[in-house]
Amino acid sequence: KPKEGGISAVGGTGSIYTFYGPEEPLFASLTENFLKKDLPHVMPSLDLAEEPLPLWWTTDFINASPPGTKAEDEKWIVGEFNCSCVGISRCLAAYCKDDTPNACWDDISEEDKAEAKKMGDLMGEKALAILSK
C-alpha cells in the first residue's frame, strides 16, 4: 500500500508491503477465481492462445468492491500484468535509492533472504524443466 499521502506502491516510494502466501484465507476467493476461471483466458485475450504463460510474472489486483463486501463477493480488477521487469519484493532492502545509495544484499533480513531464495530456486527448477523437454 502507498505511504501516507502517496498514490503509488512502487518500490522506493516508501510504500508499506505486506506479504501473503498463496493459501491466505483472506484472498481465497480471489485466488480460486483467478486461477481457475480467469487465467485460462489471459493468453487467448492477448491473441497468444498458442503461447505458454511467461515463466516469471506478476499481477497487480485492485479491489473494486465497496468497503464491507463479503470476501466471496468481492470484485477484483487486474491493474497490470508484469513480465518484463519482475523483481523479488523481499529484496527491496537492497534497492539503491537517494537515501540508501550503498544498499546491498547484506541489508536484507535473514527471513526475507530465505523467502527470496525459495522463489529463485522455484523459478530455476521451472526453467530447467522447460529446457529439459
PDB file of all heavy atoms in Angstrom, residues 1 71 103:
ATOM      1  N   LYS A   1       0.855  -1.173   0.000  1.00  0.00           N
ATOM      2  CA  LYS A   1       0.000   0.000   0.000  1.00  0.00           C
ATOM      3  C   LYS A   1       0.895   1.227   0.000  1.00  0.00           C
ATOM      4  O   LYS A   1       1.977   1.196   0.576  1.00  0.00           O
ATOM      5  CB  LYS A   1      -0.967  -0.128   1.159  1.00  0.00           C
ATOM      6  CG  LYS A   1      -0.883   0.847   2.264  1.00  0.00           C
ATOM      7  CD  LYS A   1      -1.942   0.577   3.316  1.00  0.00           C
ATOM      8  CE  LYS A   1      -1.538   1.326   4.549  1.00  0.00           C
ATOM      9  NZ  LYS A   1      -2.422   1.199   5.636  1.00  0.00           N
ATOM     10  N   ALA A  71     -15.873 -11.277   1.396  1.00  0.00           N
ATOM     11  CA  ALA A  71     -14.724 -11.694   0.586  1.00  0.00           C
ATOM     12  C   ALA A  71     -15.143 -12.483  -0.646  1.00  0.00           C
ATOM     13  O   ALA A  71     -14.620 -12.271  -1.741  1.00  0.00           O
ATOM     14  CB  ALA A  71     -13.745 -12.499   1.425  1.00  0.00           C
ATOM     15  N   ALA A 103      22.963   0.442  -0.571  1.00  0.00           N
ATOM     16  CA  ALA A 103      22.161  -0.726  -0.177  1.00  0.00           C
ATOM     17  C   ALA A 103      22.692  -1.969  -0.888  1.00  0.00           C
ATOM     18  O   ALA A 103      23.158  -1.896  -2.027  1.00  0.00           O
ATOM     19  CB  ALA A 103      20.700  -0.499  -0.521  1.00  0.00           C
TER      20      ALA A 103
END
